[in-house]
Amino acid sequence: MTANEDRGNARRTQIFKAAAAVFARQGYHRARMDDIVEESGLSKGALYWYFKSKEELATGLVHQMLTHESEALEAVVSRPEPAADRLRFMSATFARDLTESPEKASLTLELLALARTVPEIRECFSSHHEHFVDQISRLLAELRGTRPSSAETRTAALALSALIDGMVLRWALATQPFDLESALRETIDALVQDANTPGK
Amino acid sequence: MTANEDRGNARRTQIFKAAAAVFARQGYHRARMDDIVEESGLSKGALYWYFKSKEELATGLVHQMLTHESEALEAVVSRPEPAADRLRFMSATFARDLTESPEKASLTLELLALARTVPEIRECFSSHHEHFVDQISRLLAELRGTRPSSAETRTAALALSALIDGMVLRWALATQPFDLESALRETIDALVQDANTPGK
Amino acid sequence: MTANEDRGNARRTQIFKAAAAVFARQGYHRARMDDIVEESGLSKGALYWYFKSKEELATGLVHQMLTHESEALEAVVSRPEPAADRLRFMSATFARDLTESPEKASLTLELLALARTVPEIRECFSSHHEHFVDQISRLLAELRGTRPSSAETRTAALALSALIDGMVLRWALATQPFDLESALRETIDALVQDANTPGK
Amino acid sequence: MTANEDRGNARRTQIFKAAAAVFARQGYHRARMDDIVEESGLSKGALYWYFKSKEELATGLVHQMLTHESEALEAVVSRPEPAADRLRFMSATFARDLTESPEKASLTLELLALARTVPEIRECFSSHHEHFVDQISRLLAELRGTRPSSAETRTAALALSALIDGMVLRWALATQPFDLESALRETIDALVQDANTPGK
DNA sequence: AATGAATGAGCATTCATTCAT
DNA sequence: GATGAATGAATGCTCATTCAT
């Protein structure tokens, strides 16, 4: 029955949202299933009806989050504008999203730590990272006029994506807050300029 | 008595070592105090004689680790060689160290996640990050002939240090292992080349 | 649902009974939650489902015990017989109850000691003491033909209730056992006689 | 060596004082040996040099306290004044002492509860109670012109001593403080008056 | 599907006591 | 006699998971 499936999906989404909030706030290990139950407005039985365990819930959440993010990234990369603009747009979108809901960075850090211990989660992040590099490679290839699969381009793409992650990490932990968007923009601008410099 | 202090410090070091191993292996939350007790060869009472709680132990460990790391970095940055060489050397040392003992990256990720929840740990990382950027700024300033405090230099330094962190993160989580040292070297080389390019 | 409430109350009663037995036998501090769990036949989780902590369990137990005792006392005081008879009856009932289950005195002493440390328990005993004096005042007032609120009557009631408590205390600790009922009876008889003596 | 013995006794007294303070404040079970160490200004080793265990320390303390109290009582009872005055004086002294240092009542309640569990302490209190009744009997016998060993006199003495204990108990736990001295005085006065009444 | 009472293994921490110095 | 670091059994409480209803 589609009606049932719909309700099921709605429930799952509801639970993911609650779990995301609680994990971001308290961390995975300090989050009790009861906290998620309360946050979600459902009952404990319901929660266990949809997810067999806390770990499975976390795994599902990671799947969902990274899928969303990949899709968003792909949407940006596929736009018709010039590559440089798309790069800047991507970075800005990314930064704005996190600035508006900083708990996302927190949550991601938490789930990254969890990835060390839970192979399935690790797999998710690992392939997401690869996908991320692929997309950035496409952009950089256009920008530099190289093939996306060239070693140089992939190295640059890996560097850029690592840079973004590292910047977000520092931003999330910084005691003296700084503006993520401009920090990223300045860096990207410098790199894009290099890319256009003949001889590069 | 210095003898007592010495023994006390030896014990603390012994405990830090055990805690580092156990946290790296199992993560902070899955690590039981009994595991650390066993790993350290001491008794539970001794452990609690030196650290009031698991959290205080973790905090102490972070202090110690980051202090060591800062000192190591400073030693490298203060060498007499040309800035570019020091930069490469730093990156190589860093990469080799992690490649030889990959559990360090694991441990750091774990403790970074803990920083979100434990203010004192967060403070440690935050100031360590700043210190890191300071040192890189010194190197880049020499390299580019600018002042270490110039906005451009600091932005570049922030970017570079973020890049290193992000790269290590990806390396630690990658399902398909890659060579951290060469990945870092290639990136650094590219950047150093840029830096030497007139007009930069 | 009333069915659920009923079961809940039954559980609570079951736990109180077990806790009373264990506290009486071992004292509050030497009683382990596991002992109460075993005595109650429930599981540890169930116990903590109904009481958040050992202290809350003790507090609840005191509430229940003193409420019961107050009601019993009130029932006796409200009987239709002459005041002197009610006084004797009360004392005899009290003594017989304790003689039959001496652990009650033990338990009360234990909880009194706890009252020093736990404000809520102290409050319980304090107001129970006041209530006790009120009831005795009613009896003595009838007996002596004064108002229950007259200073003399209240002093006498306070004295009498203190006397009963003190006697029970000595009885509970005496190495050479004595008969609580007759000790109380003789004292009360002497006092009642005084009360009837003209000029009092 | 007497010098050593003296120091030993001084130490013991010092420890008793500290233990009394800590037990009164925190109760026997919540008092840690370390608390007593700190309060006494001695070291842990020293404390265990003089007392083999916490229980032995408590037992020794009870011995000391009750011995003091018995001696004080005996001193009062042996005075040359009329029996009624001595009775009043005893009660007043008793009340003033407690009012000035209310922690004594707390401490006694705590140790009474401990008596339930520790036979030696129980024995102490039990014989102290008997001694107390003996002394009161002497007073009442003089007052009433009976033999101290007559059943009536002993009953009255038991009642009076129970009354005092019970009153102190209530006073120690009362939420709404009352004046212990006058409460006792009024009661004693009433009883003394009775005692003088012919026919009693 | 949903509820929430019940389960019980797990764990951080405490603290009386010991003992090498 | 005195010190205080070290010991380790003991224990209150948590919380993921189950299951009768």
Side-chain angles (χ1 to χ4, degrees):
Chain A
M1 291 174 233
T2 311
N4 277 345
E5 283 174 20
D6 279 359
R7 187 166 59 185
N9 285 331
R11 288 273 193 265
R12 251 175 280 268
T13 305
Q14 196 176 353
I15 294 170
F16 279 147
K17 200 177 159 191
V22 176
F23 287 164
R25 195 192 309 137
Q26 312 177 2
Y28 175 79
H29 286 100
R30 293 200 223 263
R32 290 172 301 136
M33 288 303 257
D34 279 322
D35 294 329
I36 301 175
V37 164
E38 195 182 7
E39 180 87 22
S40 71
L42 296 175
S43 74
K44 194 178 265 194
L47 206 155
Y48 272 94
W49 179 264
Y50 290 104
F51 297 94
K52 270 202 266 296
S53 70
K54 190 181 178 183
E55 198 171 298
E56 194 182 296
L57 171 54
T59 306
L61 177 61
V62 172
H63 263 300
Q64 193 227 33
M65 282 175 54
L66 297 187
T67 302
H68 273 192
E69 211 164 308
S70 281
E71 286 169 358
L73 178 64
E74 221 161 324
V76 172
V77 172
S78 309
R79 276 162 162 252
E81 303 137 32
D85 290 351
R86 276 179 280 159
L87 200 55
R88 286 192 200 96
F89 183 71
M90 179 206 77
S91 145
T93 307
F94 199 62
R96 260 173 224 146
D97 184 36
L98 286 173
T99 304
E100 274 165 22
S101 29
E103 71 280 4
K104 280 189 187 168
S106 248
L107 177 56
T108 303
L109 175 51
E110 186 67 28
L111 296 171
L112 277 172
L114 202 55
R116 280 185 41 247
T117 316
V118 183
E120 201 174 341
I121 294 185
R122 181 176 179 160
E123 192 65 50
C124 282
F125 273 107
S126 190
S127 67
H128 178 253
H129 283 163
E130 285 171 28
H131 184 247
F132 197 98
V133 172
D134 287 347
Q135 303 294 50
I136 303 285
S137 292
R138 277 177 55 195
L139 280 183
L140 291 186
E142 285 187 50
L143 201 61
R144 309 163 136 212
T146 60
R147 277 176 304 113
S149 57
S150 80
E152 274 188 359
T153 301
R154 289 201 68 85
T155 297
L158 174 59
L160 181 52
S161 65
L163 191 158
I164 294 175
D165 275 9
M167 194 79 87
V168 171
L169 184 70
R170 282 177 138 75
W171 174 77
L173 292 178
T175 303
Q176 303 188 349
F178 63 89
D179 183 44
L180 179 62
E181 191 177 345
S182 49
L184 276 181
R185 181 169 14 86
E186 285 164 23
T187 311
I188 303 259
D189 281 351
L191 293 176
V192 166
Q193 200 178 347
D194 291 349
N196 290 331
T197 306
K200 279 295 320 178
Chain B
M1 289 181 231
T2 311
N4 277 345
E5 284 174 18
D6 279 358
R7 190 169 54 193
N9 285 331
R11 288 273 190 265
R12 250 175 281 267
T13 305
Q14 196 176 354
I15 294 170
F16 280 146
K17 201 177 158 189
V22 177
F23 287 165
R25 194 194 310 139
Q26 311 177 1
Y28 175 79
H29 286 99
R30 292 200 223 265
R32 291 173 299 135
M33 287 306 257
D34 277 325
D35 294 330
I36 301 175
V37 164
E38 197 180 7
E39 180 87 22
S40 71
L42 295 175
S43 74
K44 196 177 264 194
L47 208 154
Y48 274 94
W49 178 264
Y50 289 103
F51 299 95
K52 272 201 263 296
S53 69
K54 192 180 178 183
E55 196 172 300
E56 194 182 298
L57 171 53
T59 306
L61 178 59
V62 172
H63 262 299
Q64 195 227 29
M65 284 175 54
L66 298 187
T67 301
H68 274 191
E69 211 163 308
S70 279
E71 287 170 359
L73 177 63
E74 219 158 327
V76 172
V77 171
S78 308
R79 279 163 158 253
E81 302 136 33
D85 291 351
R86 276 178 281 159
L87 202 54
R88 286 192 200 96
F89 182 72
M90 181 206 77
S91 146
T93 307
F94 200 63
R96 262 174 224 144
D97 184 37
L98 286 173
T99 304
E100 275 165 22
S101 28
E103 71 279 6
K104 278 190 189 169
S106 248
L107 177 57
T108 303
L109 175 51
E110 187 67 28
L111 295 172
L112 277 171
L114 203 54
R116 279 186 41 250
T117 315
V118 183
E120 201 174 340
I121 294 186
R122 180 175 180 164
E123 191 65 48
C124 282
F125 273 108
S126 189
S127 67
H128 178 253
H129 283 164
E130 284 171 29
H131 183 248
F132 197 98
V133 172
D134 287 347
Q135 302 295 68
I136 303 288
S137 292
R138 277 176 56 193
L139 280 183
L140 292 186
E142 286 187 49
L143 202 61
R144 311 163 135 209
T146 59
R147 278 175 303 113
S149 56
S150 79
E152 273 187 0
T153 301
R154 290 200 67 85
T155 297
L158 174 60
L160 181 51
S161 64
L163 190 158
I164 294 174
D165 275 10
M167 192 79 87
V168 171
L169 185 70
R170 282 177 136 77
W171 173 77
L173 291 177
T175 304
Q176 303 188 349
F178 63 90
D179 183 46
L180 179 60
E181 193 178 343
S182 48
L184 276 181
R185 183 170 12 89
E186 286 164 21
T187 311
I188 302 262
D189 281 349
L191 293 176
V192 167
Q193 205 179 343
D194 291 352
N196 291 330
T197 306
K200 278 297 319 175
Chain C
M1 288 180 229
T2 310
N4 276 346
E5 285 175 18
D6 280 357
R7 191 169 54 191
N9 285 331
R11 287 275 191 263
R12 251 175 279 265
T13 305
Q14 196 175 354
I15 294 170
F16 279 147
K17 202 177 158 188
V22 177
F23 287 165
R25 194 192 311 138
Q26 311 178 0
Y28 175 79
H29 287 100
R30 293 199 222 265
R32 292 172 302 134
M33 287 306 258
D34 278 326
D35 294 329
I36 301 175
V37 164
E38 195 180 7
E39 179 87 23
S40 71
L42 296 175
S43 73
K44 195 179 267 195
L47 209 154
Y48 274 93
W49 177 264
Y50 289 103
F51 298 94
K52 270 200 264 297
S53 69
K54 191 181 178 183
E55 197 173 298
E56 193 180 299
L57 171 52
T59 306
L61 177 60
V62 172
H63 261 299
Q64 194 227 32
M65 283 175 53
L66 297 186
T67 302
H68 274 191
E69 210 164 307
S70 281
E71 286 170 357
L73 178 64
E74 219 159 325
V76 172
V77 171
S78 309
R79 279 162 157 250
E81 302 136 33
D85 290 350
R86 275 178 279 158
L87 201 54
R88 285 191 201 97
F89 184 72
M90 180 207 77
S91 145
T93 307
F94 200 63
R96 259 173 228 146
D97 184 37
L98 286 174
T99 304
E100 275 165 22
S101 29
E103 71 280 4
K104 279 189 188 169
S106 249
L107 177 56
T108 303
L109 175 51
E110 187 66 28
L111 296 172
L112 277 170
L114 204 54
R116 281 187 39 249
T117 316
V118 184
E120 201 173 340
I121 294 186
R122 180 175 180 163
E123 191 65 49
C124 282
F125 273 107
S126 190
S127 68
H128 179 254
H129 282 164
E130 283 171 30
H131 184 248
F132 197 98
V133 172
D134 287 347
Q135 302 296 57
I136 302 286
S137 293
R138 277 178 55 195
L139 280 184
L140 291 186
E142 285 187 51
L143 200 61
R144 310 163 135 210
T146 59
R147 278 173 303 114
S149 56
S150 79
E152 275 188 358
T153 301
R154 290 199 69 85
T155 298
L158 174 59
L160 182 52
S161 64
L163 190 158
I164 294 174
D165 275 10
M167 193 79 87
V168 170
L169 185 71
R170 283 178 136 76
W171 174 78
L173 292 178
T175 304
Q176 304 188 347
F178 63 88
D179 183 45
L180 178 62
E181 190 178 346
S182 48
L184 276 182
R185 182 169 14 86
E186 285 163 24
T187 311
I188 302 258
D189 281 348
L191 294 176
V192 167
Q193 202 179 345
D194 292 349
N196 291 331
T197 306
K200 282 293 323 175
Chain D
M1 294 174 234
T2 311
N4 278 344
E5 284 175 17
D6 278 0
R7 187 166 58 186
N9 284 330
R11 289 272 194 264
R12 249 177 282 268
T13 305
Q14 196 177 353
I15 294 170
F16 279 147
K17 201 176 159 190
V22 177
F23 288 164
R25 196 193 309 138
Q26 311 179 2
Y28 175 78
H29 287 99
R30 292 200 224 264
R32 291 173 302 138
M33 287 304 258
D34 279 323
D35 294 328
I36 301 175
V37 164
E38 195 182 9
E39 179 87 23
S40 71
L42 296 176
S43 74
K44 197 179 262 194
L47 207 156
Y48 272 93
W49 178 265
Y50 290 103
F51 297 95
K52 270 201 265 297
S53 70
K54 190 181 180 183
E55 198 173 297
E56 194 182 298
L57 170 54
T59 306
L61 176 61
V62 172
H63 262 300
Q64 194 228 32
M65 283 175 54
L66 297 186
T67 301
H68 274 192
E69 211 164 309
S70 281
E71 286 169 359
L73 178 64
E74 220 160 324
V76 172
V77 172
S78 307
R79 277 163 161 250
E81 301 137 33
D85 290 352
R86 276 177 282 160
L87 201 55
R88 286 192 199 96
F89 183 72
M90 180 206 76
S91 143
T93 308
F94 200 65
R96 262 174 225 145
D97 184 38
L98 287 173
T99 304
E100 275 165 23
S101 29
E103 71 280 4
K104 280 189 187 167
S106 248
L107 177 57
T108 302
L109 175 51
E110 186 66 29
L111 296 172
L112 278 170
L114 202 55
R116 280 186 42 250
T117 314
V118 183
E120 201 174 340
I121 294 185
R122 180 176 179 163
E123 191 66 48
C124 283
F125 273 108
S126 190
S127 67
H128 179 253
H129 282 164
E130 283 171 29
H131 183 248
F132 197 98
V133 172
D134 288 346
Q135 302 295 58
I136 303 285
S137 293
R138 276 175 59 193
L139 280 184
L140 292 186
E142 284 186 51
L143 200 62
R144 308 164 136 211
T146 59
R147 276 175 304 112
S149 57
S150 79
E152 274 189 357
T153 301
R154 290 201 68 85
T155 298
L158 174 59
L160 182 52
S161 64
L163 191 157
I164 294 174
D165 276 10
M167 193 80 87
V168 171
L169 184 70
R170 283 178 136 76
W171 174 77
L173 292 178
T175 304
Q176 304 189 348
F178 63 90
D179 183 43
L180 179 60
E181 192 180 343
S182 48
L184 276 181
R185 182 170 13 87
E186 285 163 23
T187 311
I188 302 260
D189 281 348
L191 293 176
V192 168
Q193 202 180 346
D194 291 351
N196 291 330
T197 307
K200 281 296 318 174

